[in-house]
Every structure is written in structure tokens, then in C-alpha cells.
Amino acid sequence: MKFNNRNIYIADSANIGKNVKIGDNTFIYENVTIDDGTIIANNCIIGEPLNDYYFKNEYSNPKTYIGKNSLIRSHTIIYAGTKTKSNFQTGHRVTIREFTEIGQNCSIGTNSDIQGFCVIGDYCRFHSYVNVGQKSKIGNFVFIYPFVVLTNDPTPPSDTLIGVEIKDFTQIAAGAVLLPGCVIGSNSLIAANSTVGGIYEDDSFISGSPAKRIGKLSKMPFFNKSGKRHYPWPYHFERGMPWAGIGFDNWREQLKTLNNIDD
Amino acid sequence: MKFNNRNIYIADSANIGKNVKIGDNTFIYENVTIDDGTIIANNCIIGEPLNDYYFKNEYSNPKTYIGKNSLIRSHTIIYAGTKTKSNFQTGHRVTIREFTEIGQNCSIGTNSDIQGFCVIGDYCRFHSYVNVGQKSKIGNFVFIYPFVVLTNDPTPPSDTLIGVEIKDFTQIAAGAVLLPGCVIGSNSLIAANSTVGGIYEDDSFISGSPAKRIGKLSKMPFFNKSGKRHYPWPYHFERGMPWAGIGFDNWREQLKTLNNIDD
Amino acid sequence: MKFNNRNIYIADSANIGKNVKIGDNTFIYENVTIDDGTIIANNCIIGEPLNDYYFKNEYSNPKTYIGKNSLIRSHTIIYAGTKTKSNFQTGHRVTIREFTEIGQNCSIGTNSDIQGFCVIGDYCRFHSYVNVGQKSKIGNFVFIYPFVVLTNDPTPPSDTLIGVEIKDFTQIAAGAVLLPGCVIGSNSLIAANSTVGGIYEDDSFISGSPAKRIGKLSKMPFFNKSGKRHYPWPYHFERGMPWAGIGFDNWREQLKTLNNIDD
């Protein structure tokens, strides 16, 4: 059993929702809210205090929020000031620094490190060892694979940090380095081990060191096992996606209808 | 002392062999067997329950087995369903996901992440930060260096996972990316930071992004400090190898004799 | 509160200075000295015993020293025999193996792994996931970015380890692989994702796989937001540097004066 109530620290000011489970040896610091149905596994630290905690007598921990029905796996550290929406999942030993905002249904893999002051949309999936630099801006349905780094300092070292921007549905394959300030359009694919700077339009296949746009991703000969062009991928992958069971086009139609009702 | 019997959790159904030591703050979950003479250092998790543990009322933890005389260093997480043979060693914070099979005398370095459903042979050595994707198949005497990734999804994202295969005695230098489905023959070397797809014959030196076969590894001008061609390396390296003290050829002769006796 | 004195192990032979704080679940092993004003956060291991600890009855832990006013963040492991000077900082889950010497005012980022028997100068900053191989020699004011590896085995596997040397003020951008025995002169920059072997003079801009010297770094068109050539960078960056507030040239003048007084 992971949940024996052994050696747990929960600050008095923490708000723990209904049906929340907290694993042994976990710390929940001041001003953390864990919403209903969320599981925090063993040896985690939620609401890790910022640097000032060590050096200033008057320190108040910024508010941290973990959305409903999330699963935070063991040894994960989430800093104070970070907010995640519902159905968030992490692998083991994930680090998420302060003031990061993460949308719904995201997952961040084992040993990944999100450096803080980032914005991440909905339904993103990061695999193991993804390193997201400060001030990165990531859209929805973005998947990032191992050993990818989003950098931010154009003239290291400096105090000028310019984050990377990645737009919706884009895939960043393993080992790619994204240079400071680069902008990757939506529905694009960056090939493994590429070194990518500059601004790329939507539907780009980008490859090389230094990387170039090879052409429209939707026209590239990337065929899946059904023999069809795989991109745009939402027509061929639905596990965990909001269009699962209904298809991408139907989901988009439903979204439009919903948005019209909202108007 | 690492072994003070403090804050340890051992499930009733775990089988702990003779002369096993278990470090403080370590968890041994249900249906784990730790064979004789093995040391599990501090803060480890052995038999980490699978995803269903969190979501299904009826969950039975698959059997986990850690072979004799192994040394699992601190903060390592080994999932349920994984089996390792004798003399297994890990660095710190290694993650080995479910249903992985690891042969005898292997070591896996600090911060490495084996994604599960992999087969790894005997006498393999992985350095720090090695990321092995699901369905990888690795032979015997394979050494892998830091920040190497074995990928598995040819059209990300998809549900078609095609593992990498690496054959006996092959070396994968730091930072190489192995693309889905690539097959690297035995006695080969992949140069640092290469991006490797396709199928390569035995005795290949492979380099570049995209990588090419440069030629026979045994003919390349890689000389060691004795001024000899270093490859095939088993003639020049024996620390921890079964031919230590007797030489590679004698060991192979002995193996043949043993196999004949078996016939 | 991180400092509740819960589940802490401190060996009798450890020397704990004045105003030292030690976080919950932390281990301080035999023959460790923590100097005054240092903070060791939660779940750390300081003075981790070497391999012989497990296998020899007569084992004596080498002396470990953590300098004054340091901040070791959670889950960091520092092996016995390592010595760090004052104002040392780590991120989370840093590993520093045995007999490493680290100068004053250094910081080593989250998930970095220093392999032991290394010498690191003063005011170095390593970001997340930096992997420094054994026998590396790093000067002063060297900054290293994520997923950089300093390798050491020219003919893997072998017992001939030849470390990398990096001289003062040099910057190694993300994802670079430094090959065994390479020497990078001072005031240089290695571009992201480069693969670098050989010996490079001071003031080099080095890029590519395999890398080449593109030219003098000080002549390259790397302009900062003030529109000035950014390199040599000490004229344009001072946060945490000893010339903060007085300028690089004035600091050098003061150093010269101090050195003359010492003579």
C-alpha cells in the first residue's frame, strides 16, 4: 500500500479536497490546494517553497493548485505558484518550477524539468527528460519526446530570456534543441536531433542541424500502418484525446456548435 | 549506516532471501522476490504498482524478481512485472518500467529510464541518462553511453510501436538517437550524437545525422594506448567481463566445450 | 516547514557547523563536515559511501566537506570524498560522485550528474541535466547548459579515460557532446548540439557535427539587446559574478592590486 499515512507532512494552510490520496513520505507545503479525486503518490513535494524561503524572514508561499482527478507519481516536485488543471499526470521525479500554468489532461514524463514561468495548453504530452526553459509558451495537443530542450538565452549568459513558442498539434521528436525565440507553427513535426532556430509557418516538416523547413508536413511521405499519410495526426490517433470514439472532424463540429451556443 | 530498519515498508507477500539488506525509507511492494545476497539501498521502490492500481478495485501486483547478489542504489524505482538475473546493479534514481527482462551481470546508470516491455541480454552496461523505449531488444555485452535514446514510434503520435534492436558487443556512444525499428548489427559502434535509422550489418562503424555506415569497424583507425586497433573490443577490455583473466578467445573455447558437453 | 527534525540520520562522526539547517529525511554519513550557515534541504544524502562500503568489512568513509553558506536542494546525493567551497548551490536530485573538487560560488542544476574525480573552478554554473565524465577539468566562470555531456573514453569500452578540459569564461550550449580529451580554450562558445573533438584556442566560436572553429568569438555577430557584441560576456553579465556593481575591468584591476599586496 502506498497510502499508509506514514511520515507525511501537510501544512495547516493546505486545502485537501474530497477523495484525495496522499502517499507516504510526501510533503504538502503552505497554501497548496489539491482538488477532489487527485492522487499524490509517495515521496512527492507539492508547493516547494521558492528561493526567498531560505533567505527572508518574512516569506509567504504563493498559492499552488493541482486540479481534479490528477495523478502525481512518486518523487515529483511542484513548486509554489504553479497551477495545473484537471486530469494532470506526471511520471516519476518530475520537476515543475514556480508560476507555471498547465492546462487540462496534460501529462509530463519521468525526469522532466519544467523551468518555471511557462504556459502549457491542454492535452499536451511530454515524454521522459523533457527540459522546458523559462518563458516557453506551448499550445494544445503538443507532444514532446525525450531529451528535447527549449532554450531561452540568445547570448549566454545574459539576463535576456526569450522563450520558445510551439503551436497546437505540433510534435517535437527526440533530442531536438529549440533555440531561443524560435516559433514553430501548428501541425508541424521537428525531426529527431534537429537544431532549430527561427520562425516556421503551420504544417511544416523541419529537420537538420541547423534545421530547415523541408516542406509541408501534410505532403511528406510519412505513411502509417494503414498505408495512409499520418499527418495531420489527429485523424489517426485518438487515445486520450477528446475526439476519441467520435473522430476529429465530428469533435471539431461539436466544438463549433458549443462555441455558437456560448455566443 | 544505510541499514537501520527505519521507515521501511515491506508487503506481507514479498519474499526476501537470505542475507538481503534493505535500506531506510525503501518500499517493497506485493509479490516481489528479492533473491539471496542482494542489497536494496535507501529510498528505493521495488515492485511499483502499475497504472491499474490507482483505478481498479481488484488489482493484483504482477510478480517482480530481483536476482541474487544484486546492488540497487538509492532512489531506484523498479516496476512490478520486471525480472532481473543475478549480479544486477543500478546507479541512483534508475527507473525500470513493467515487464522488462534483464540478463545477468548488467548495470544501468544513474537517472536512466527503461520504459518497459524490453528485453536486455547479459553483461550490458548503460551509463547515466540512457532512455530505452518500449519494445527495445538489446543483446549481450552492449554498452550504451549518456543521453542515448532508443525511440519506437515511426509516426508520432501513434499506437504503432516498433522497437530498436541492438546486437551483441555493440557500443552506442553519447547522445545518439536511434530511430524506430532500426537494427544495429553485432560488434558495431555508433558515433556520438548520430541520428540512426535503418538496418546495419555486423561490424559497422556508423556516424552522422542522418547516419551512414562509414565502413567495417574492425578496419577503422581506432587505436588504443597499446597502439593496436581497439575493435573488436573484447580483445582489449575485460573488467567485469566473463573472459577476465583468461582472454576472449579462451573464454569462447570454454563456452564451446561447455555447450558440447550439454549436447 | 522543511526543518522539523523528522527522520534524519546524522552519523556520530559528522561535523555540523553553526546555523546549519538539515531537512527532513536527509542522511549525513560518516566523516562529513557541513560548514557554517549551510542549508541541506529534504531527502538529501551527503557523504554517500563508496562501492567498497557494500563489499568490505573494513570500510572507512573518506572525508566530505560542504563549504559555508551553501544551499543543497532536495534529493541531492553527494558522495564521500567530495569537497565544495563556500556558497555552493545545487538544484534537485543532483548527483556528485566521489573525490570531486568544486570551487566557490558554483551552482549545479537539477538532475545533473558529476561522475567523480573532477576538478571544477570558481563561479561555474551548470544548468539541468549536465553530465560531467570522470577526470574532467573545468576552469572558472564556465557555464554549461542542459543535456551537455563531457565524455572520457576514446575507444569505448576501455580503461583509458581522458577527461575534457574547459578553460575560463567558456560557454557550452545545450546538447553539445564533448569528445574525450578535447580542450576548449577560454572565452569560447560551443554552439548547441555540436559534437566537439580536438584542441581549440582561446576566443573560439565552435559549431557543427563534427564541430569546426568558425572564427574568433569576439568578432562574431552575436549582439545583445543593447546592440553591442555580447562576447566577451563578462562586460555584459554580472548577476552573481564578483564584478557585480563595479564592472569587469575594475574587478580585474582590484584583483591585480590584491595579488601585488600578497606578493
Side-chain angles (χ1 to χ4, degrees):
Chain A
M1 265 284 291
K2 296 188 173 185
F3 308 104
N4 307 296
N5 269 315
R6 290 190 319 156
N7 194 30
I8 291 173
Y9 171 82
I10 300 177
D12 289 342
S13 61
N15 298 299
I16 308 297
K18 293 176 194 165
N19 300 313
V20 166
K21 291 182 185 173
I22 295 177
D24 299 350
N25 307 320
T26 279
F27 294 78
I28 310 284
Y29 282 114
E30 284 68 21
N31 300 320
V32 168
T33 298
I34 312 280
D35 212 336
D36 298 349
T38 281
I39 299 169
I40 312 287
N42 307 72
N43 299 288
C44 290
I45 301 176
I46 310 296
E48 169 81 2
L50 313 191
N51 214 42
D52 282 351
Y53 172 86
Y54 298 108
F55 305 113
K56 296 194 177 169
N57 284 328
E58 304 280 313
Y59 173 80
S60 171
N61 215 28
K63 289 185 180 179
T64 308
Y65 178 79
I66 308 294
K68 291 184 186 183
N69 301 316
S70 296
L71 171 53
I72 308 300
R73 287 193 179 77
S74 77
H75 301 86
T76 288
I77 301 171
I78 298 178
Y79 270 67
T82 281
K83 294 178 184 180
T84 74
K85 290 193 176 163
S86 58
N87 301 303
F88 181 54
Q89 294 212 8
T90 74
H92 302 280
R93 308 184 203 87
V94 169
T95 312
I96 304 174
R97 292 273 305 272
E98 62 269 27
F99 301 111
T100 292
E101 294 178 23
I102 298 179
Q104 58 167 301
N105 290 274
C106 288
S107 70
I108 296 183
T110 290
N111 297 336
S112 285
D113 175 35
I114 313 300
Q115 283 277 302
F117 301 95
C118 296
V119 178
I120 298 171
D122 297 334
Y123 290 92
C124 288
R125 283 191 198 166
F126 300 174
H127 285 238
S128 301
Y129 308 99
V130 169
N131 182 230
V132 176
Q134 284 191 13
K135 300 198 175 178
S136 299
K137 191 178 163 192
I138 296 173
N140 306 300
F141 307 102
V142 170
F143 287 37
I144 305 184
Y145 297 86
F147 300 126
V148 166
V149 53
L150 278 60
T151 66
N152 56 21
D153 185 350
T155 51
S158 81
D159 287 315
T160 307
L161 301 186
I162 308 177
V164 164
E165 183 175 355
I166 303 174
K167 296 188 180 174
D168 297 352
F169 299 106
T170 282
Q171 305 282 311
I172 314 290
V177 177
L178 277 67
L179 297 174
C182 83
V183 179
I184 313 297
S186 68
N187 288 292
S188 295
L189 171 64
I190 292 180
N193 216 359
S194 297
T195 311
V196 186
I199 295 172
Y200 294 89
E201 61 195 282
D202 298 347
D203 192 19
S204 291
F205 174 55
I206 300 159
S207 182
S209 286
K212 290 182 218 167
R213 183 176 193 260
I214 309 298
K216 279 180 185 290
L217 177 60
S218 59
K219 302 296 183 192
M220 290 287 133
F222 296 129
F223 299 99
N224 55 35
K225 66 177 175 182
S226 309
K228 294 187 177 159
R229 284 189 201 272
H230 192 68
Y231 301 98
W233 63 264
Y235 292 101
H236 305 288
F237 181 81
E238 59 171 40
R239 181 167 38 86
M241 297 293 112
W243 54 86
I246 58 170
F248 187 57
D249 281 337
N250 286 332
W251 172 74
R252 290 207 295 186
E253 285 302 316
Q254 288 181 7
L255 267 192
K256 278 185 205 163
T257 311
L258 282 170
N259 289 339
N260 287 338
I261 288 167
D262 285 352
D263 286 343
Chain B
M1 263 285 290
K2 296 189 173 186
F3 308 104
N4 307 296
N5 268 315
R6 290 190 319 156
N7 194 29
I8 292 172
Y9 171 83
I10 300 177
D12 290 342
S13 62
N15 298 299
I16 308 297
K18 292 176 194 164
N19 300 315
V20 166
K21 289 182 185 172
I22 295 178
D24 299 349
N25 306 320
T26 278
F27 295 77
I28 311 284
Y29 283 113
E30 284 69 20
N31 301 320
V32 168
T33 298
I34 312 281
D35 212 336
D36 299 350
T38 282
I39 299 168
I40 312 285
N42 308 69
N43 298 289
C44 291
I45 301 176
I46 311 296
E48 169 80 2
L50 313 190
N51 215 41
D52 283 352
Y53 171 86
Y54 298 108
F55 305 114
K56 297 192 177 170
N57 284 329
E58 303 281 312
Y59 173 81
S60 171
N61 214 29
K63 288 186 180 180
T64 307
Y65 178 80
I66 308 295
K68 290 184 186 181
N69 301 318
S70 296
L71 172 53
I72 308 299
R73 286 192 180 77
S74 77
H75 299 88
T76 288
I77 301 172
I78 299 178
Y79 270 67
T82 280
K83 293 177 184 179
T84 74
K85 290 192 177 163
S86 58
N87 301 303
F88 180 54
Q89 294 212 7
T90 73
H92 302 280
R93 309 186 203 86
V94 169
T95 311
I96 305 174
R97 291 275 302 273
E98 60 269 28
F99 302 111
T100 291
E101 294 178 22
I102 298 178
Q104 57 167 302
N105 290 274
C106 288
S107 70
I108 297 184
T110 290
N111 296 337
S112 286
D113 175 35
I114 314 299
Q115 282 279 301
F117 302 94
C118 297
V119 179
I120 298 171
D122 296 335
Y123 290 93
C124 289
R125 285 192 197 163
F126 300 174
H127 285 237
S128 301
Y129 307 99
V130 170
N131 182 230
V132 176
Q134 284 191 12
K135 300 196 175 179
S136 299
K137 191 178 164 192
I138 296 172
N140 306 300
F141 307 102
V142 171
F143 287 37
I144 306 184
Y145 297 86
F147 300 126
V148 166
V149 52
L150 279 61
T151 65
N152 57 20
D153 185 350
T155 51
S158 81
D159 287 315
T160 307
L161 301 186
I162 307 177
V164 164
E165 183 175 355
I166 303 173
K167 296 188 179 172
D168 296 353
F169 299 106
T170 283
Q171 304 282 311
I172 315 289
V177 178
L178 278 66
L179 297 174
C182 82
V183 179
I184 313 297
S186 68
N187 287 292
S188 296
L189 171 64
I190 292 181
N193 216 359
S194 297
T195 312
V196 186
I199 294 173
Y200 294 89
E201 62 194 281
D202 297 347
D203 192 19
S204 291
F205 174 54
I206 299 159
S207 181
S209 287
K212 292 183 219 166
R213 183 176 193 262
I214 308 298
K216 279 180 186 290
L217 177 60
S218 59
K219 302 295 184 194
M220 290 287 132
F222 295 128
F223 298 100
N224 53 37
K225 66 177 178 183
S226 309
K228 295 185 177 161
R229 282 188 202 272
H230 192 68
Y231 301 97
W233 63 264
Y235 292 100
H236 306 289
F237 180 82
E238 60 172 40
R239 180 165 41 84
M241 298 292 113
W243 54 86
I246 59 173
F248 186 57
D249 281 337
N250 286 332
W251 172 73
R252 288 205 298 185
E253 285 302 317
Q254 288 181 5
L255 267 193
K256 279 186 204 163
T257 311
L258 282 169
N259 288 339
N260 287 337
I261 289 168
D262 286 352
D263 287 344
Chain C
M1 262 287 290
K2 295 189 173 186
F3 308 104
N4 307 297
N5 268 315
R6 291 190 318 155
N7 194 30
I8 291 172
Y9 171 82
I10 300 177
D12 290 343
S13 62
N15 298 300
I16 308 297
K18 292 176 196 164
N19 300 315
V20 166
K21 290 182 186 174
I22 295 178
D24 299 348
N25 307 318
T26 278
F27 295 78
I28 310 285
Y29 283 113
E30 284 68 21
N31 301 320
V32 168
T33 298
I34 312 281
D35 212 336
D36 299 349
T38 281
I39 299 168
I40 313 287
N42 307 71
N43 300 288
C44 290
I45 301 177
I46 310 296
E48 169 80 3
L50 313 190
N51 215 40
D52 283 352
Y53 171 86
Y54 299 108
F55 304 114
K56 296 192 177 170
N57 285 328
E58 303 281 314
Y59 173 81
S60 172
N61 214 29
K63 288 186 181 180
T64 308
Y65 178 79
I66 308 294
K68 290 184 187 182
N69 300 319
S70 296
L71 171 53
I72 309 299
R73 287 193 179 75
S74 77
H75 300 88
T76 287
I77 301 172
I78 299 178
Y79 269 67
T82 281
K83 293 177 185 180
T84 73
K85 291 192 175 162
S86 58
N87 300 304
F88 180 53
Q89 295 213 6
T90 74
H92 302 281
R93 308 185 202 87
V94 168
T95 311
I96 304 174
R97 291 274 303 274
E98 60 270 26
F99 302 112
T100 292
E101 294 177 23
I102 298 178
Q104 58 167 303
N105 290 276
C106 288
S107 70
I108 297 184
T110 290
N111 297 335
S112 285
D113 175 35
I114 313 299
Q115 282 277 301
F117 302 94
C118 296
V119 178
I120 298 171
D122 296 335
Y123 289 92
C124 289
R125 284 191 198 167
F126 300 174
H127 285 237
S128 301
Y129 308 99
V130 170
N131 182 230
V132 176
Q134 283 191 13
K135 300 197 176 179
S136 299
K137 191 177 164 194
I138 296 173
N140 305 300
F141 306 102
V142 171
F143 287 37
I144 306 184
Y145 297 86
F147 300 125
V148 166
V149 53
L150 278 59
T151 66
N152 55 21
D153 185 349
T155 52
S158 81
D159 287 316
T160 307
L161 300 186
I162 308 177
V164 164
E165 183 175 355
I166 302 174
K167 296 187 179 173
D168 297 352
F169 299 105
T170 282
Q171 305 283 311
I172 315 289
V177 178
L178 277 66
L179 297 173
C182 83
V183 179
I184 312 297
S186 67
N187 286 293
S188 295
L189 171 64
I190 293 181
N193 216 359
S194 297
T195 312
V196 186
I199 294 173
Y200 294 89
E201 61 195 282
D202 297 348
D203 191 20
S204 291
F205 174 54
I206 300 160
S207 180
S209 287
K212 291 182 218 166
R213 183 177 194 262
I214 308 298
K216 279 180 186 290
L217 177 60
S218 59
K219 301 295 184 195
M220 289 287 132
F222 295 128
F223 298 99
N224 55 34
K225 66 177 177 182
S226 309
K228 295 186 176 159
R229 284 188 201 271
H230 192 68
Y231 301 98
W233 63 263
Y235 292 100
H236 305 289
F237 181 82
E238 59 170 39
R239 181 165 40 86
M241 298 292 113
W243 55 85
I246 58 172
F248 186 57
D249 281 336
N250 286 333
W251 172 74
R252 289 205 297 184
E253 285 303 314
Q254 289 182 5
L255 267 191
K256 278 185 205 164
T257 311
L258 282 168
N259 288 338
N260 287 338
I261 289 167
D262 286 353
D263 285 345

